[in-house]
Amino acid sequence: MPKNREVIGHPHQDSRFCMHCGSALKEQLTSMDTMPRLICTKCKFVHYINPRPAAGLIPIDTDGRILLARRDIEPQLGSWVFPGGFIDIGETVEEAAVRETREEVRLEVQNLQLIGVYTRITAGVIITVFTAEALGTATAAHETAEVKWFEKDNIPWSELAFETTTWALEEYIKKQAFTKT
């Protein structure tokens, strides 16, 4: 993997043993790949370290305000982010975005619209972000210290949790400006 794109946060990057037979893994370049892979020294199973898919959702209230949640867990404890998390096996990316919103801010939403797909290379995460109409009242829940509605001019940019949080919010605001002209 190129040094300038080194993954530092993937849970399997330091795997040492094969998940199939338990033998040692060795980093090797196969004839079919352009980057080294973890390959079992016994059964030859290739352990790919692939990005992990996530989903996020930017809730919008009837006044056009954006809901953000202050993280109550690491990484980025205390920073602001929209609800989001990893996609579970058996659910769509849209279902994951809605589920994460329910879990983190106890909010139902409707009318999901795609904002964009963003990659955090060093974390090995690809996040698909939607916006949706908020239904009801949001409250802090799982993994969340507090929730707050922000006007677009009052977003706490310097306190956002991840670069993908910033990118998605910027894209949402840009799309809103474009649709109003």
Side-chain angles (χ1 to χ4, degrees):
M1 181 170 299
K3 293 295 180 203
N4 64 339
R5 292 181 173 223
E6 188 170 344
V7 175
I8 57 172
H10 197 286
H12 300 153
Q13 72 190 37
D14 296 321
S15 296
R16 298 181 302 151
F17 301 102
C18 179
M19 68 175 145
H20 287 278
C21 73
S23 297
L25 297 176
K26 182 177 179 183
E27 193 172 272
Q28 297 176 349
L29 184 62
T30 69
S31 60
M32 300 178 292
D33 286 316
T34 57
M35 61 189 316
R37 307 289 181 187
L38 293 174
I39 301 173
C40 178
T41 56
K42 184 176 180 183
C43 73
K44 305 301 181 199
F45 181 80
V46 179
H47 292 256
Y48 290 95
I49 308 297
N50 294 326
R52 297 165 292 153
L57 193 141
I58 303 170
I60 308 299
D61 72 4
T62 55
D63 295 324
R65 296 178 302 170
I66 296 167
L67 181 73
L68 295 178
R70 190 180 296 274
R71 290 177 61 82
D72 200 25
I73 59 167
E74 292 291 354
Q76 302 298 329
L77 176 72
S79 297
W80 292 99
V81 69
F82 44 78
F86 294 110
I87 301 169
D88 290 335
I89 295 292
E91 71 182 347
T92 67
V93 66
E94 295 88 353
E95 290 167 341
V98 170
R99 175 184 52 77
E100 288 288 344
T101 302
R102 280 188 199 122
E103 288 177 359
E104 295 179 6
V105 298
R106 295 187 178 120
L107 183 67
E108 295 296 325
V109 294
Q110 67 182 10
N111 299 327
L112 273 69
Q113 298 292 317
L114 179 66
I115 294 298
V117 179
Y118 308 93
T119 305
R120 289 181 51 217
I121 291 173
T122 57
V125 173
I126 298 172
I127 183 167
T128 303
V129 181
F130 300 90
T131 187
E133 298 170 16
L135 303 172
T137 304
T139 58
H142 179 67
E143 303 176 354
T144 304
E146 69 175 300
V147 298
K148 186 173 179 182
W149 293 98
F150 290 92
E151 300 284 344
K152 67 179 179 181
D153 295 332
N154 294 323
I155 293 172
W157 296 104
S158 65
E159 298 177 51
L160 297 179
F162 307 106
E163 59 195 357
T164 50
T165 307
T166 301
W167 298 338
L169 288 170
E170 288 173 343
E171 185 68 22
Y172 170 73
I173 291 168
K174 185 169 104 177
K175 285 182 178 182
Q176 290 304 300
F178 181 73
T179 58
K180 291 182 181 180
T181 57

